[in-house]
Each structure stands twice: as C-alpha cells, then as structure tokens.
Amino acid sequence: MAKKKLTPEQQAYKEKIKPLQPKTPYVLNAFKAFMVGGFICLIGQGISNFYITFFNFTEKTAGNPTVATLILVASLLTGFGVYDKIGQFGGAGSIVPVTGFANAVTSAALEHKSEGIVLGIATNLFKLAGAVIVFGAVSAYVIGMLRYIIQQFL
Amino acid sequence: MEYLIAFVVGGLICLIGQLLLDFFNITPAHLTSGFVVAGACLDGFGLYDRLIAFAGAGATVPITSFGHSLLHGAMAESEDHGFIGIAMGIFQLTSAGISSAILFGFIVAVLFKPKG
Amino acid sequence: MKLTGKQTWTFSKPIYITSSAAVVGPEEAAGPLGDQYDLSFDELHCGQANWELAERHLMEQAINICLEKGTKQASDIDLFLSGDLINQTVIANYTARQNQIPFLGMFGACSTSMETLAVASALIDGEFANNVLTAVSSHNATAERQFRYPTEYGGQKPDSATYTVTGAGASIVSTTPSPIKITCATIGRVMDLGITDPFDMGSAMAPAAADTIATHLKDTGRSPDYYDMIATGDLSAVGTPILIELLKEQNYDLTANHQDCGLLVYRPDQPVFAGGSGCACSAVVTYGHLLKEMKAGNLKRIFVVATGALMNPIMIQQQESIPTIAHGVVLEAVSGGGNQ
C-alpha cells in the first residue's frame, strides 16, 4: 500500500522537528549487530563441530542438530526473560540468526498464554514468525519452478 | 580459523540487516522475510552453497539459510518426481528447524510465565 | 457563560479534588518520586495471574485508597468516570462491574486522566452529580501487547520510544472544600501532523499539546507565567523541545515553567528510552507528586495538559498517520481547605 501523501503543513512539521529528534546511532548499532550476530554464529560453529566430533555427523548433516540446539537455547532464554534484553542491545544481530526465529515463536506463544493453551499459545505461535515461513515457501516454490523449467530446456 | 570466519561472515550478514532496519525503518518481520527470500534467490544461482562451504555456521545460522534449505529440498525432490516434487520437497530439509521451533516454543510457553 | 473563548470551560461553582491516590509498579517505585505514591508493587504481576488482572488490581487499589483517604464509600459516589488503554477499555469496565457505581467509560488514550477530571468537574458544576470518582490506569505489559510486540520479543526500540508507566491514579471530585481547587479546563482538538512512527509518540503528540496550551492561554487571556508550572502528560525527551519550539512560534515562552510528567516519573539512567508514557503517567505524577507540592505551598497554580495518541496497530499497519489530542485542567491551591 502506498504511503499517504503529506499535506504541506505536515511536510513542514516533519522538516522542522528533524533537528530536534534523537539521531539513530547507525555506526554503533551496526557494530553491536555485527558482534552479537557474529558471536551467535561462532557458538553455532562450536555446536556443529561438537556434533561432528562426537555424534558421527558430517559437515553437511550437522546443520540440522545445530539449528535445533540453537532454537532450544533461544526458546529457553526467551522463557527466562533474557532474549528481549539481548535483542534491545544487538538489534538485527539477534533477529537475523535462527535464534531470532525461535524467539519470535516463543515470545508470541508466551504472550498469549493467559488466553489458554489452544486459542492462546497454539494459535499465536506463528503470529510473528509465520511471515518468514510464508515468504520462504513461496519464494522457494517460484524459484524452484523457474530452475526446473530452465533445466528442462537446457 | 573456521570460528573466526563463521564470526565475521555471520556478523556481516547481521550488520547488513541492521543497516536495512535503521536506514529504511522497516520492521523485523519485513527484514527476516526479505532475508529468507534473498537466501532462496542466492541458492537459485547456486551461490549460497559456496558461502556455506566457506563460512560454515556463519552462513547456516542466519535466517537466509532457511530460504536456501527450502529451495534445496524442493530441487532435490524434483529430480525424482518432476515439478510435482517441488511442492513435496520444500520442507524436507528444514523440518528439524521448524519442528523444533514449534516443540520448544510450545513447551516453554506452557512452562514459563512472561517476565514483562 | 461557562464557556470561555473557544474551548475553555470556567467552572462557576467551587470544585475540589477532595481525595486522590496513586498506585505504581516496580520501575516507577524506583524512580525519583518513588516515596510519594500511596502504594507500590515490587513485581509487574502485582500478585495476579496475568497482566490484565494486574492492571485491574492497580486500578482497584487506587480507588480503594482514594475512597479511604476521602472517608467515603462506593455508595457515596454518584458517578464513576474511568478509562485505560486496553481494547474497549475493559480495565475500567470490569472495575465498574465491581464497584457498582453509575459508570461512564472514557477514552482519550493517555489524555484520559485529564479528560475524566474535566468532565467530572463539568458534571458537578452542572449539578448532575455531587461526588464523582475518576480513575485511569496503564500497565507496561498490557500496553506492549496492545500496541507493540510481545513483551519477551527481542526487537530493538529506538531512543525516541517511550516506556508505558505501570500504575493507576484515582481522585474524588466534589464541592466539599479541600486544598486543591479545579477552576477551569480546556478541551483539545485532534491534531495530526503526519507522524507515522509508533515508536515516536513525542513528535506526534507535541502539536496537540501546543494547540491546547496556546488555545487555553488565548481563551483566558493569561500568559504562561500565570502558572507556577505547566505540566504535559507524556511528551518525553523527544516531544518536550518540540513543544517549546512550537509555542515559541506563537510567542509563548514555556522554558521557565514547563515540566513533563514522562520525564518526572523516571530517573534518566532507568531503561525507559525517552521517558514515561501511558494514562497512568500524568495521573500518578499529578496525584502522587504535584498535588503534594501544592499542599506544601511550593506550587500555587498549575495547568496539567495530558496528551494522548489516538491510534491502534491496525491503523498503523494501514499506513495511517497518528492523530493526537491533549486536554488540560487548571488546579489551584487554596488555603484553609478540607481535612486531607
């Protein structure tokens, strides 16, 4: 949906308040996101190597248990009320890794707990994270089709 | 060394995400949706596998790898079942991630109380 | 004529705040005004099973304390005016179910505190009631769910965001003399200067506050220094300089006596971003702090302007901008008041 057009008065107000508003700390935010996101991936690498060394996974198959472990940890941190604090500090650094997906699922479910297990927790589980699955599946389907058609012709 | 590469590559993907959040004022839902589509697109050109080979968890932990796995599952199945296989295979490789998110999310929500 | 100028009501009867109470949550109790509230809870759940029950508990406690301080019972009250931030103002509705006082629900978002006070005074002046009970509440966790993300969600808030005050304020308005007199009220217009960012309420609400203050001063022919303090509800650190700037353009200088309740309620080092917000923000600061200052003789005349943002998340997602409003009430300290 297109943004509503601003009236000249609204446009003037927007210009006027610009110098009075707090500046977004772009560099600091980007640095914090880099550190937090990098650290989560580093832990992921450690977990992955753990599965390869002790459980006979290969580098290719270790991805699944690694992701599941990270999701478990992130869900627990959400339950203990810690992940939202990490999120305030790390921004995209804790949203982009798969732990952010787990946090979106768990936090939405926890928020609606007071409405019951079926209509509260279960129906709201994907309230925030559902968009990721929808866009992932749709784009994978479209690109998969394109690639399949191209392969048939080549 | 592989830890350092995972750290730097994963960190850089998150850094791009932060810049998108701050400069374009989008919501986290828009950001993660966009990254999943981007992951699927990169995999469409066969680029994401190279990134994983290089960076390991630095490429598999960010949500972009979810898009990559969705497409990978779809393409693998299409080799056996043609274009019908695309729909059959989409969630094949990502099953562990989605089912554990549902399971752990549900269990935590049942056991814990929101802290506020 | 009680209507003065365009939007200001001047009450012809002497109307007083005979009793008031402020109840808060943990973050507010840790703030600079922590020792001035009537009751504080050290946990966000306030001993209840969920957030909505917690907010109801806050409002009920505020009302109970208010009635007790005014040596009144619910049956002595003719009318209950109340509102909050949750869908269909359920906190107020369910409290009214409990106390069985004739009830009018009010909604003006965070401006509800002064809206209820102004309407209560008008109804008493018009002789439709002798004792009116007003109450407002807000709760950080219910407001987060209502307007933003789940409380445990790890999103990043910008510095312009505000932190919803957990608390409730209640007052009894009547003609029984007390040290605090309500002399006039100015009802605001809805202003919308195109702000769409729900994490920047200060910028959205500043024009509404400026409009109500300027209209009030024009209607009454007063200058800003007529008041010892002009207090806005929850403009926070972002909206405050904008308000000063907007009024300067209309030749009103507020730099000397303006205060914002959202900045008074927390210390700058608390994790509250730009400051406090919510219905309870202006209510607990007014009832807990400002009235005490007036009784102590530190403030003679104050103008409290509560500001509200009248949007909901659906409107925001449909790319609509945020309409805002502000209502102001003039409070004056009188000597030789009642028994409080």
Side-chain angles (χ1 to χ4, degrees):
Chain A
M1 203 177 297
K3 279 214 166 162
K4 299 270 183 310
K5 262 231 149 29
L6 293 178
T7 64
E9 193 195 5
Q10 291 177 333
Q11 195 62 47
Y13 180 67
K14 219 172 175 180
E15 291 300 318
K16 184 159 56 190
I17 62 171
K18 228 175 223 165
L20 297 170
Q21 283 179 312
K23 304 274 169 293
T24 309
Y26 294 110
V27 177
L28 181 66
N29 278 357
F31 176 72
K32 288 196 285 195
F34 176 77
M35 294 306 287
V36 172
F39 188 66
I40 293 172
C41 293
L42 188 144
I43 294 171
Q45 187 69 53
I47 296 169
S48 173
N49 285 353
F50 170 80
Y51 281 114
I52 293 168
T53 320
F54 295 102
F55 288 96
N56 271 334
F57 281 94
T58 66
E59 221 157 286
K60 267 211 161 346
T61 54
N64 274 333
T66 304
V67 163
T69 311
L70 284 171
I71 285 172
L72 172 63
V73 173
S75 296
L76 286 172
L77 287 177
T78 306
F80 285 116
V82 179
Y83 205 90
D84 57 328
K85 310 220 161 37
I86 302 173
Q88 180 56 40
F89 178 82
S94 54
I95 291 169
V96 171
V98 72
T99 49
F101 178 76
N103 168 248
V105 170
T106 311
S107 65
L110 203 52
E111 183 82 351
H112 291 273
K113 184 181 182 176
S114 64
E115 291 152 55
I117 288 181
V118 178
L119 293 178
I121 294 177
T123 59
N124 285 293
L125 206 65
F126 284 107
K127 195 172 91 163
L128 290 168
V132 167
I133 296 180
V134 170
F135 275 94
V138 172
S139 63
Y141 197 87
V142 171
I143 295 167
M145 269 301 189
L146 286 174
R147 245 177 79 165
Y148 180 75
I149 291 167
I150 292 167
Q151 274 169 2
Q152 297 306 304
F153 280 97
L154 291 179
Chain B
M1 193 61 193
E2 67 178 336
Y3 287 96
L4 184 69
I5 294 172
F7 180 87
V8 171
V9 172
L12 281 175
I13 294 173
C14 294
L15 188 146
I16 295 168
Q18 186 68 39
L19 293 178
L20 291 172
L21 278 182
D22 282 349
F23 276 100
F24 297 99
N25 214 358
I26 55 174
T27 68
H30 284 86
L31 175 71
T32 45
S33 302
F35 267 27
V36 169
V37 176
C41 289
L42 284 176
D43 193 49
F45 296 105
L47 296 173
Y48 208 85
D49 276 333
R50 285 193 222 167
L51 189 64
I52 291 176
F54 172 66
T60 54
V61 171
I63 201 77
T64 39
S65 84
F66 184 64
H68 147 266
S69 305
L70 288 171
L71 183 60
H72 247 59
M75 293 322 292
E77 203 69 11
S78 76
E79 275 167 21
D80 296 340
H81 300 284
F83 74 94
I84 300 168
I86 294 173
M88 293 163 66
I90 277 192
F91 287 111
Q92 202 115 72
L93 297 178
T94 51
S95 166
I98 294 175
S99 54
S100 57
I102 294 173
L103 183 69
F104 299 139
F106 183 78
I107 292 172
V108 167
V110 170
L111 295 182
F112 285 76
K113 201 174 174 184
K115 299 279 183 298
Chain C
M1 187 71 177
K2 290 170 186 173
L3 180 65
T4 311
K6 280 188 70 180
Q7 291 162 237
T8 302
W9 301 345
T10 308
F11 304 117
S12 52
K13 285 204 174 91
I15 294 165
Y16 302 92
I17 298 183
T18 25
S19 172
S20 66
V23 175
V24 295
E27 201 69 54
E28 295 70 28
L33 309 176
D35 53 348
Q36 306 203 20
Y37 305 117
D38 297 288
L39 179 68
S40 64
F41 290 92
D42 52 12
E43 204 267 329
L44 264 183
H45 277 97
C46 308
Q48 306 295 309
N50 63 48
W51 303 127
E52 283 72 18
L53 282 172
E55 187 174 342
R56 266 161 66 185
H57 190 63
L58 286 168
M59 191 188 262
E60 281 164 13
Q61 289 300 314
I63 290 170
N64 288 344
I65 295 170
C66 183
L67 289 170
E68 205 173 289
K69 280 166 81 174
T71 57
K72 288 242 184 324
Q73 298 191 326
S75 53
D76 303 328
I77 306 292
D78 307 311
L79 187 63
F80 176 43
L81 298 179
S82 176
D84 58 273
L85 294 176
I86 310 309
N87 277 348
Q88 288 81 33
T89 61
V90 282
I91 307 296
N93 299 346
Y94 281 69
T95 307
R97 177 180 75 177
Q98 201 67 31
N99 64 28
Q100 288 293 303
I101 305 169
F103 166 62
L104 284 176
M106 314 220 86
F107 183 80
C110 312
S111 71
T112 313
S113 55
M114 291 305 127
E115 185 186 12
T116 52
L117 214 50
V119 173
S121 306
L123 288 171
I124 292 171
D125 206 30
E127 298 181 357
F128 293 103
N130 293 316
N131 294 294
V132 180
L133 175 68
T134 76
V136 294
S137 67
S138 59
H139 188 292
N140 188 271
T142 58
E144 285 297 312
R145 180 213 293 234
Q146 184 78 70
F147 294 102
R148 292 174 274 270
Y149 290 107
T151 51
E152 302 305 329
Y153 182 61
Q156 193 173 37
K157 286 185 191 166
D159 293 336
S160 59
T162 49
Y163 185 89
T164 306
V165 168
T166 301
S171 68
I172 295 173
V173 184
S174 73
T175 48
T176 313
S178 93
I180 311 290
K181 195 174 167 190
I182 304 175
T183 55
C184 46
T186 300
I187 305 301
R189 299 184 291 158
V190 173
M191 303 291 282
D192 186 343
L193 285 177
I195 301 295
T196 51
D197 184 358
F199 288 113
D200 188 7
M201 288 300 156
S203 301
M205 296 191 298
D211 185 68
T212 299
I213 294 171
T215 307
H216 173 81
L217 296 173
K218 245 174 255 151
D219 284 349
T220 56
R222 293 168 184 168
S223 76
D225 52 21
Y226 177 84
Y227 296 104
D228 298 320
M229 182 192 286
I230 295 179
T232 45
D234 48 7
L235 292 184
S236 77
V238 180
T240 299
I242 299 175
L243 172 75
I244 306 271
E245 188 65 32
L246 289 174
L247 284 170
K248 203 179 275 170
E249 285 172 11
Q250 305 197 42
N251 290 319
Y252 293 117
D253 182 12
L254 250 67
T255 41
N257 54 1
H258 172 262
Q259 293 282 351
D260 186 64
C261 298
L263 295 174
L264 291 171
V265 71
Y266 297 118
R267 288 190 319 271
D269 60 319
Q270 285 181 293
V272 295
F273 310 100
S277 64
C279 294
C281 183
S282 50
V284 299
V285 172
T286 306
Y287 299 148
H289 173 60
L290 297 179
L291 296 193
K292 284 195 182 74
E293 289 290 296
M294 292 176 80
K295 284 173 194 159
N298 299 333
L299 295 169
K300 289 287 296 174
R301 280 189 290 247
I302 65 169
F303 183 37
V304 184
V305 184
T307 43
L310 303 172
M311 87 307 183
N312 75 17
I314 298 172
M315 293 296 114
I316 297 294
Q317 278 162 21
Q318 290 175 352
Q319 312 277 334
E320 292 281 352
S321 54
I322 300 168
T324 59
I325 196 161
H327 302 301
V329 172
V330 176
L331 303 175
E332 295 188 23
V334 286
S335 45
N339 53 359
Q340 208 185 346

